[in-house]
Amino acid sequence: MARDALLLVDIQNDFCPGGALAVPDGDRIVPIANWYARLFERRRLPVFASRDWHPAETSHFVAGGGPWPPHCVQGTRGAELHARLSLPADAVVVSKGMDPGEDAYSAFQAQTPAGKLLGAELKELGVERLFVGGLATDYCVRASVIDALKSGLRAVVLEDAVKGIDLEPGDIARAVAEMEEHGARTATLDTVEMELAE
Ligand code: VGL
Ligand code: ZN
């Protein structure tokens, strides 16, 4: 049983500079995410990486009536996890957004390669607390953290391993405040080991 797990949300080329839906400085979190991944690996704690994994046509994209330019289309380079993201060999990649009628911002809508929902997988592992980093703070990180809390898990936002879009100035700060209002804690490289010890 593993009480704690790490979730790295959507650290994909399209959310990094040069990508179709670039988060400003999105790639800057990669080395920090790698550090967290190593920490959890050393402690034999499970590591999950979610990916946005859309069909070419979806109501999530502008052409389908949605808010976003096409991004993270299944099988494209933009949908690949960032090349410098370094995950433990036994990390589980979960995919979301495959349904052409669904945004699927939350990693709790994502499935393992075996088709199991992330929440079910975490429950099976005995996970009680999820540490979350990734992209974007004000969309998929926010939705994933709030879903984690609603599903009865504790959640810790890794503040130095997230970056947001701020489509409206203040979105990132509001997202962090909202996650905290739902009960999320925050941690950084400096405090995560203390947090893990609790
Ligand atoms: C995301 C916008 C659209 C995200 C995904 O990963 O935060 N944002 N699709
Ligand atoms: Zn998307």
Side-chain angles (χ1 to χ4, degrees), residues 9-10 12 15 21 23 52 54 60-61 67-69 71-72 96 103-105 135-141 165:
V9 175
D10 301 3
Q12 293 167 277
F15 295 126
L21 185 45
V23 176
D52 219 25
H54 297 302
H60 185 61
F61 294 166
W68 305 109
H71 61 275
C72 299
K96 65 185 172 64
D103 291 308
Y105 293 117
L135 308 170
T137 316
D138 34 357
Y139 291 92
C140 290
V141 170
I165 299 176

Side-chain angles (χ1 to χ4, degrees), residues 12-15 19-21 51-58 60-62 68-81 95-98:
Q12 293 167 277
N13 292 328
D14 271 343
F15 295 126
L21 185 45
R51 62 179 184 181
D52 219 25
W53 197 241
H54 297 302
E57 289 177 19
T58 160
H60 185 61
F61 294 166
V62 172
W68 305 109
H71 61 275
C72 299
V73 173
Q74 295 166 16
T76 62
R77 221 189 91 69
E80 289 171 17
L81 295 176
S95 305
K96 65 185 172 64
M98 295 83 85

Side-chain angles (χ1 to χ4, degrees), residues 75-125:
T76 62
R77 221 189 91 69
E80 289 171 17
L81 295 176
H82 192 284
R84 284 195 309 279
L85 183 65
S86 172
L87 299 172
D90 58 356
V92 177
V93 177
V94 294
S95 305
K96 65 185 172 64
M98 295 83 85
D99 183 327
E102 200 172 72
D103 291 308
Y105 293 117
S106 169
F108 281 76
Q109 292 169 277
Q111 300 177 13
T112 67
K116 215 183 300 165
L117 283 170
L118 175 65
E121 185 75 18
L122 294 173
K123 194 160 196 178
E124 226 163 85
L125 291 169

